[in-house]
């Protein structure tokens, strides 16, 4: 695909990503919850679920100081809209029924507070993300896909245990800064976005970029993409719109195959 063709595709999607402006706050709430349930099903399909670990959140469209999250102990593979719970800034479940994962609250509450631009955040204990996080370093620009994270991801460079202490949640949010992703050393990956789809896609792309770098490093001495080219490519594949658009096929398929998740 040429740059000009890519630009045409992405520009044609601007109306789609901004469609939320045409929905009422109540309709937007319902839509965000549907996308959240679908994202959790996608994570299950890709093997990102592990026991009761992992969580994806989306900011509520009406009470923007609260967010929706998957209840602890409910399988990602069985998640429905009606299973989701809404949590306030004090960690109280204000809508829905289910257990709140303490780490989910500590991590996501601080991110949503520190980053008003973030609509959604995703964290899971994916295999390659965990393995790469143990190296205590950032991703290299080895592939076109990895360039989406060039100069746009951070590293929390020590492990202090399960993130349930509020000071750790604050530190994580500060280390993330204005970037789209962070590697949590000896823990895993976390990504954010201006939509559920974007946050979901960055997680998928980052997990696969970790896998690709682990394979390349094991095979020999991979050649990095030069910084200037990586930076240029990041502008093509790393935008909010690119993340949102790239996720659409996954969401189309999971909803078509599992329409019950919308209940």
């Amino acid at each position: 695909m040429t740059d000009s063709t890519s630009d045409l595709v992405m520009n044609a999607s601007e109306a789609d990503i901004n469609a939320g402006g045409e929905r009422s706050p109540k309709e937007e709430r319902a839509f965000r919850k549907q996308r959240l349930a679908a994202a959790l099903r996608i994570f299950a399909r890709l093997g990102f679920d592990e026991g009761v670990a992992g969580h994806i959140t989306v900011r509520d469209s009406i009470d923007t100081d609260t967010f929706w999250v998957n209840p602890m102990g409910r399988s990602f593979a069985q998640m429905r809209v009606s299973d989701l719970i809404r949590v306030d800034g004090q960690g109280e479940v204000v809508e829905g029924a289910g257990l709140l994962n303490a780490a989910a609250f500590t991590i996501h509450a601080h991110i949503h507070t520190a980053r008003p631009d973030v609509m959604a955040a995703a964290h899971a204990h994916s295999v390659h993300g965990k393995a790469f996080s143990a190296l205590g370093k950032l991703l290299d620009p080895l592939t076109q896909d990895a360039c989406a994270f060039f100069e746009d991801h951070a590293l929390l460079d020590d492990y202090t245990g399960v993130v349930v202490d509020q000071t750790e949640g604050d530190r994580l949010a500060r280390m993330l800064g204005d970037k789209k992703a962070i590697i949590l050393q000896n823990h895993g990956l976390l990504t954010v976005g201006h939509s559920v789809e974007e946050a979901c896609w960055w997680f998928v792309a980052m997990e696969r970029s970790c896998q690709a770098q682990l394979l390349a490093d094991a095979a020999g001495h991979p050649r990095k993409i030069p910084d200037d080219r990586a930076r240029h490519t990041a502008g093509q594949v790393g935008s909010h719109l690119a993340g949102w658009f790239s996720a659409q096929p996954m969401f189309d398929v999971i909803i078509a195959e599992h329409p019950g998740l919308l209940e």
Side-chain angles (χ1 to χ4, degrees):
M1 179 180 288
T2 65
D3 287 352
S4 58
T5 303
S6 176
D7 290 341
L8 286 173
V9 171
M10 301 315 289
N11 289 337
S13 303
E14 286 282 4
D16 294 325
I17 196 172
N18 292 323
E22 302 172 6
R23 291 186 285 266
S24 69
K26 187 174 181 179
E27 291 170 335
E28 178 64 18
R29 170 186 277 177
F31 178 77
R32 293 183 187 186
K33 291 170 66 179
Q34 290 171 357
R35 302 314 261 186
L36 177 55
L40 290 157
R41 295 274 187 133
I42 289 169
F43 271 33
R45 172 163 294 186
L46 295 175
F48 297 164
D49 53 335
E50 182 164 327
V52 298
H55 18 83
I56 308 177
T57 57
V58 64
R59 190 185 301 273
D60 187 59
S61 60
I62 299 174
D63 185 352
T64 57
D65 291 330
T66 66
F67 58 85
W68 295 89
V69 65
N70 51 295
M72 186 177 185
R74 175 71 170 168
S75 170
F76 284 14
Q78 296 179 316
M79 200 63 61
R80 301 171 301 171
V81 167
S82 56
D83 295 318
L84 302 173
I85 56 176
R86 185 162 63 93
V87 181
D88 67 13
Q90 288 69 52
E92 297 294 329
V93 176
V94 295
E95 190 169 348
L99 297 175
L100 173 62
N101 184 319
F105 171 72
T106 303
I107 293 172
H108 292 262
H110 282 87
I111 290 173
H112 283 292
T113 299
R115 292 279 301 275
D117 63 304
V118 166
M119 181 192 293
H123 168 64
H125 294 182
S126 53
V127 173
H128 300 101
K130 288 191 295 185
F132 191 87
S133 76
L135 301 177
K137 65 179 184 178
L138 296 173
L139 278 168
D140 293 325
L142 298 186
T143 66
Q144 176 174 296
D145 297 323
C147 286
F149 304 97
F150 183 70
E151 299 178 332
D152 200 15
H153 70 295
L155 172 67
L156 187 67
D157 61 359
D158 64 346
Y159 178 75
T160 58
V162 178
V163 185
V164 293
D165 186 278
Q166 296 303 311
T167 59
E168 280 300 290
D170 179 65
R171 188 168 74 99
L172 191 159
R174 283 190 286 105
M175 292 300 295
L176 173 64
D178 62 355
K179 295 177 170 59
K180 66 161 61 85
I182 184 168
I183 297 171
L184 312 178
Q185 185 171 301
N186 306 109
H187 189 169
L189 312 176
L190 183 144
T191 58
V192 300
H194 288 188
S195 63
V196 173
E197 295 97 324
E198 184 192 351
C200 178
W201 176 255
W202 295 141
F203 193 96
V204 173
M206 196 174 203
E207 162 71 9
R208 290 174 173 169
S209 293
C210 287
Q211 181 181 10
Q213 183 163 338
L214 290 168
L215 290 169
D217 286 343
H221 303 284
R223 298 181 179 180
K224 298 180 184 179
I225 297 172
D227 286 1
D228 59 336
R229 296 180 190 174
R231 193 171 295 114
H232 175 71
T233 304
Q236 296 173 309
V237 302
S239 69
H240 299 300
L241 186 56
W244 174 87
F245 191 77
S246 297
Q248 296 309 306
M250 297 191 303
F251 280 79
D252 290 344
V253 170
I254 205 72
I255 291 172
E257 294 182 353
H258 301 280
L261 70 87
L262 301 177
E263 298 174 356

